[in-house]
C-alpha cells in the first residue's frame, strides 16, 4: 500500500486584481465549498485538488494590500493565516500570488506573509503582461533574494499551473527569514518585544518577530483582537521611547520594506531603457476619457441589455415548451384530484414560470463575468467615481454597488473594504437599490408582454433593451440620490478620495466565465427548488381554498343546459365545447377571486389602486417580499396559467396578462401599468436575506428598519408618480 498523507492546507493570499481567484479556480476547478466566516459575511471559499496521493486544500482569502487589518477583509485574512480564526483550521503553508507586472507593490504583502512562521511559495502571475511591458526576470536571483520558491504562471491561460501543482505537492520549503531591516533602535525594540511574545507563548517562535513588528509599528487603532495588557503596555512604552528620540515609528515599516523590495527588484528584474506605452495605456486613453468613457460605458450597457432579450428568446421558448410537456404528462399520469392540481397548477405553473428566465440571467452573468475578467469593471468604477464624489460618496462605494447588480448580499459584504464607517453605512443602505438578478424575471415578464423586442427606436435599439437599460439606470440614479440625501442629513461626513489600481486588460478566461455562469445557474436553481417551490405550494393552497364559496352564477346548471342544447341539436358540439371551456374559466376565476389569496388581494386593493395595480398584482407584490422573482410564479398561479393544458408557461403568461380586464372592460395591464410595476420593483426592499445581512453588518436592527421603510415609501411614491403622471400626460391607463 502507498503512503497516505493528511490533506495539506494552504492559504492563498494576494492583492486585489492579481489573479488570485483565477488561480484558485484553475487549481481547484469545481471542487469548491463556499460559505461565510461566522459572525461576518466575508466569503469563505475552500477548494481541493489532488496530485498523486497528496490531497491539497486551498483556502481562498479576500484580496488585501497588507495584513494591517484596517478593514474587515484584512482582519479575516490576517486571522486565518495567523490561525486565530476559530472555525478555520490553521494553514500549513502559504501560497502567495503576485502580479509580475507590478511586483514592487505586490511584494509588500508577500514580505508580511513571509513573517508568519509558515513556509511560503510565491506564484508570479501575469508573466505575459510583464513581458509585454518589456520586463525580464532572473527568477533564480529573485527566489534567492526573497528566500522562497518562485513559480512563474499565467493563471488565466493555465500556463505554469501544473508545475505549480506539482511543486505544492512536494516537500515544504524552509521557513523564510526576514531580510529587510529597520533602523537599529527600532530593531532593538522589536527584538525585545519578540522575546516577550515568545516568553508568553502568544505566538510560535518563528512568527514572534513578525508579530512584534505588527504590534509595534501598526498604527491601526480599531482591532477586535487586542493583545494582552502586559504586551500592550510593552508596546506603548516602546513607542513612547521611540517618540522621545524623535523617531516616527509609524512610517518605519513601509520605508524599511519598500526600500528592501526596491533593491530586490533592481537586482532581479530588467526594465526597458525607455518608457513603453502599453496596449492597456492606449485603450485607457479612450475608455477612461472624461467624455468618451461615460458614453462608451452607457453604450456597452445598452448592448448588454438588448442582447438579453435578443439572444434569450429561443432558449426561453425551449424551456417553456419542456415545462408544458412535463405538465401535460403530469396531468395525464396523475389521477384527477387535488394532488394533480397542486403538481400542475401550483408547482409547475409557479416554478416553471420562473425557470424560463434562466437564459436571461445566464446572459447577464456572462457579460458581467466577461467585463470583470477583461479588467473593464475597474474602469467602470473609475468612471463612476466622478459622479459618486460629486454627491458626497466615497469612490470605493461604487465597487460594492457594482457587485449588487448580481445580488445585494455580496454587495453589502463588499462594503467592508470601505474604511470610513459612515461611507460604509451609507453604501449598505443604498446597495439594494441596484437591480439584482432576482429583479430580472420581473422586468423580463413586463417588458416581454408589453414592449416587444421587434419594436425599434431610431431603427437601431430595441424598445425592450432600452426599457431594461432604463430600469437599471433608475436603480443607479436612485442609489446616488438617496446616498446624497443620507450624507447631508442622517449620516454626515467627508469622504476620502478613491485610490484604486487599474489592472491591465486581459483576454478573458473561458473557464472563469463558464464557472461564474455555472455558479449563477446553481444559485438560481437552488432558489427555484427551495424558496420559490415552497412559496408556490403555499400560494396554490391560498388560491385553491376555501373550496366551498358562494358563486355569483350556477355554473353546474349552465353546463347542464349546454349539454341539453347539444342533445336537442340547437348547438353544435364545437360551440358547446367553447361555451363549456368559457364557463370553466369563469368559474375558476371567480373561485380564485374568492379564495384566501383573492380576499387578501382585495383587502389591499384600495391602497394600491392609485399605482394602477389590481388585487392580482397586489398579491404578487406581497409574495415578492420573500423573494422578488416569486412575483412571476405568483402571477402564473393567480392567473391560472396551468388551467390550460397546452400552455403552462412561456408566452402563456404574457397572453394572460394582456387579456385580463377590469369589470368595466378596461385592460388591467397596459404599458403604463407595466412601467409602474417595474419602478416599484426597482425601488422596493423585497428581500429578507438582504435585511438579515444588513442587520449582521450594522450589528443593529435600526438600519435594516430604516432601509425597509425608506425603500417601501420610495417605491410607492415612485410608482404613484409614474402611473398618475402617465395618465395626466395621456399615456393611457
Amino acid at each position: 500500500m502507498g503512503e497516505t498523507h493528511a490533506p495539506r492546507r494552504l492559504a492563498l493570499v494576494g492583492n486585489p486584481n492579481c489573479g488570485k481567484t483565477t488561480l484558485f479556480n484553475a487549481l481547484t476547478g469545481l471542487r469548491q465549498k463556499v460559505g461565510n466566516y461566522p459572525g461576518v459575511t466575508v466569503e469563505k471559499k475552500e477548494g481541493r485538488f489532488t496530485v498523486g496521493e497528496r490531497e491539497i486544500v486551498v483556502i481562498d482569502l479576500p484580496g488585501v494590500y497588507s495584513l494591517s487589518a484596517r478593514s474587515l477583509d484584512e482582519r479575516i485574512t490576517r486571522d486565518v493565516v495567523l490561525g486565530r480564526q476559530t472555525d478555520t483550521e490553521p494553514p500549513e503553508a502559504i501560497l502567495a500570488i503576485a502580479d509580475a507586472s507590478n511586483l514592487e507593490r505586490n511584494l509588500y504583502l508577500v514580505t508580511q506573509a513571509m513573517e508568519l512562521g509558515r513556509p511560503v511559495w510565491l506564484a508570479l502571475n501575469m508573466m505575459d503582461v510583464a513581458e509585454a511591458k518589456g520586463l525580464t526576470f532572473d527568477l533564480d536571483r529573485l527566489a534567492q533574494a526573497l528566500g522562497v520558491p518562485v513559480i512563474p504562471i499565467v493563471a488565466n491561460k493555465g500556463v505554469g499551473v501544473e508545475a505549480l501543482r506539482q511543486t505544492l505537492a512536494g516537500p515544504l520549503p524552509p521557513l523564510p527569514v526576514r531580510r529587510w531591516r529597520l533602523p537599529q533602535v527600532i530593531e532593538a525594540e522589536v527584538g525585545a518585544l519578540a522575546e516577550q511574545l515568545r516568553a508568553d507563548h502568544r505566538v510560535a517562535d518563528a512568527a514572534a518577530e513578525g508579530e512584534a513588528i505588527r504590534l509595534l509599528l501598526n498604527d491601526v487603532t480599531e482591532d477586535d483582537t487586542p493583545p494582552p495588557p502586559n504586551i500592550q503596555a510593552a508596546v506603548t512604552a516602546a513607542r513612547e521611547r521611540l517618540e522621545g528620540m524623535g523617531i516616527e515609528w509609524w512610517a518605519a515599516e513601509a520605508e524599511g520594506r519598500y526600500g528592501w523590495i526596491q533593491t530586490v527588484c533592481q537586482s532581479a528584474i530588467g526594465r526597458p531603457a525607455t518608457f513603453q506605452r502599453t496596449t492597456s495605456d492606449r485603450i485607457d486613453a479612450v475608455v477612461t476619457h472624461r467624455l468618451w468613457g461615460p458614453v462608451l460605458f452607457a453604450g456597452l450597457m445598452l448592448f448588454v441589455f438588448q442582447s438579453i432579450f435578443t439572444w434569450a428568446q429561443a432558449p426561453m421558448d425551449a424551456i417553456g415548451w419542456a415545462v408544458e410537456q412535463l405538465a401535460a404528462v403530469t396531468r395525464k399520469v396523475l389521477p384527477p384530484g387535488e394532488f394533480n392540481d397542486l403538481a400542475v397548477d401550483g408547482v409547475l405553473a409557479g416554478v416553471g414560470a420562473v425557470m424560463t428566465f434562466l437564459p436571461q440571467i445566464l446572459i447577464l452573468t456572462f457579460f458581467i463575468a466577461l467585463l470583470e475578467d477583461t479588467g473593464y469593471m475597474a474602469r467602470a468604477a473609475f468612471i463612476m467615481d466622478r459622479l459618486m464624489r460629486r454627491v458626497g460618496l466615497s469612490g470605493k462605494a461604487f465597487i460594492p454597488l457594482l457587485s449588487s447588480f448580481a445580488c445585494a448580499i455580496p454587495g453589502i459584504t463588499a462594503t467592508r473594504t470601505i474604511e470610513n464607517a459612515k461611507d460604509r453605512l451609507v453604501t449598505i443602505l443604498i446597495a439594494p437599490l441596484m437591480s439584482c438578478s432576482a429583479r430580472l424575471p420581473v422586468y423580463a415578464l413586463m417588458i416581454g408582454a408589453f414592449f416587444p423586442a421587434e419594436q425599434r427606436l431610431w431603427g437601431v435599439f430595441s424598445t425592450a433593451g432600452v426599457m431594461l437599460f432604463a430600469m437599471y439606470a433608475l436603480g443607479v440614479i436612485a442609489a446616488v440620490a438617496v446616498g446624497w440625501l443620507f450624507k447631508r442629513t442622517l449620516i454626515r461626513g467627508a469622504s476620502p478620495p478613491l485610490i484604486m489600481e487599474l489592472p491591465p486588460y486581459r483576454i478573458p478566461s473561458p473557464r472563469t466565465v463558464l464557472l461564474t455562469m455555472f455558479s449563477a445557474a446553481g444559485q438560481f436553481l437552488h432558489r427555484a427548488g427551495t424558496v420559490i417551490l415552497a412559496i408556490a405550494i403555499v400560494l396554490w393552497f391560498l388560491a385553491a381554498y376555501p373550496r366551498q364559496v358562494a358563486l355569483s352564477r350556477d355554473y353546474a346548471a349552465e353546463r347542464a343546459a349546454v349539454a341539453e342544447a347539444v342533445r336537442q341539436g340547437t348547438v353544435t358540439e364545437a360551440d358547446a365545447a367553447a361555451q363549456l371551456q368559457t364557463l370553466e374559466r369563469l368559474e375558476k376565476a371567480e373561485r380564485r377571486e374568492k379564495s384566501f389569496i383573492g380576499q387578501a388581494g382585495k383587502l389591499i386593493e384600495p391602497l394600491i389602486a392609485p399605482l394602477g395595480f389590481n388585487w392580482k398584482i397586489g398579491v404578487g407584490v406581497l409574495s415578492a417580499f420573500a423573494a422578488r422573482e416569486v412575483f412571476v410564479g405568483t402571477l402564473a398561479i393567480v392567473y391560472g396559467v396551468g388551467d390550460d393544458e397546452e400552455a403552462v408557461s412561456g408566452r402563456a403568461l404574457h397572453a394572460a396578462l394582456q387579456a385580463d380586464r377590469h369589470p368595466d372592460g378596461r385592460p388591467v395591464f397596459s404599458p403604463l401599468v407595466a412601467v409602474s410595476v417595474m419602478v416599484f420593483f426597482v425601488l422596493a426592499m423585497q428581500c429578507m436575506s438582504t435585511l438579515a445581512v444588513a442587520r449582521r453588518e450594522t450589528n443593529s436592527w435600526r438600519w435594516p428598519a430604516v432601509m425597509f421603510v425608506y425603500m417601501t415609501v420610495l417605491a410607492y411614491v415612485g410608482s404613484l408618480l409614474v402611473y398618475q403622471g402617465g395618465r395626466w400626460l395621456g399615456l393611457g391607463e
Side-chain angles (χ1 to χ4, degrees), residues 612-626:
F613 299 175
N614 73 344
W615 69 269
K616 296 175 185 176
I617 302 175
V619 168
V621 169
L622 283 181
S623 65
F625 277 96

Side-chain angles (χ1 to χ4, degrees), residues 145-204:
L146 293 173
V148 300
V150 177
I151 304 95
I153 63 170
V154 182
N156 64 335
K157 297 178 181 175
V159 177
V161 173
E162 185 54 34
L164 178 61
R165 279 201 187 96
Q166 297 294 332
T167 303
L168 297 177
L172 291 173
L175 293 179
V177 177
R178 181 167 70 93
R179 302 187 179 191
W180 64 280
R181 286 291 171 256
L182 293 158
Q184 192 171 359
V185 289
I186 301 181
E187 283 287 354
E189 295 288 359
V190 168
L193 186 59
E195 285 302 320
Q196 192 168 347
L197 289 169
R198 291 189 183 98
D200 284 6
H201 304 289
R202 177 173 163 78
V203 295

Side-chain angles (χ1 to χ4, degrees), residues 438-457:
R439 288 177 171 104
L440 185 56
V442 180
Y443 299 160
L445 175 65
M446 293 293 121
I447 294 173
F450 300 100
F451 299 93
E454 297 77 19
Q455 289 183 0
R456 297 278 163 178
L457 289 179

Side-chain angles (χ1 to χ4, degrees), residues 535-617:
I535 294 175
I537 293 173
V538 172
L539 288 173
W540 173 82
F541 173 81
L542 295 176
Y545 288 88
R547 292 292 197 189
Q548 301 302 323
V549 294
L551 300 175
S552 60
R553 298 163 60 174
D554 189 346
Y555 292 99
E558 292 187 41
R559 279 194 287 268
V562 172
E564 180 61 25
V566 172
R567 279 195 297 274
Q568 293 178 0
T570 57
V571 175
T572 66
E573 290 191 358
D575 290 341
Q579 291 180 28
L580 290 173
Q581 190 175 22
T582 300
L583 285 172
E584 185 178 357
R585 285 184 174 176
L586 289 173
E587 182 178 357
K588 285 188 175 182
E590 186 173 355
R591 287 185 177 280
R592 201 168 286 121
E593 187 171 348
K594 294 180 177 177
S595 67
F596 291 129
I597 203 170
Q599 295 174 40
K602 289 287 186 181
L603 192 65
I604 64 169
E605 194 169 32
L607 180 66
I608 57 178
L611 312 184
F613 299 175
N614 73 344
W615 69 269
K616 296 175 185 176
I617 302 175

Side-chain angles (χ1 to χ4, degrees), residues 379-391:
R379 274 76 181 178
F382 174 77
I383 293 167
M384 293 303 295
D385 174 57
R386 294 167 186 155
L387 172 63
M388 303 294 285
R389 291 195 59 74
R390 286 183 182 178
V391 297

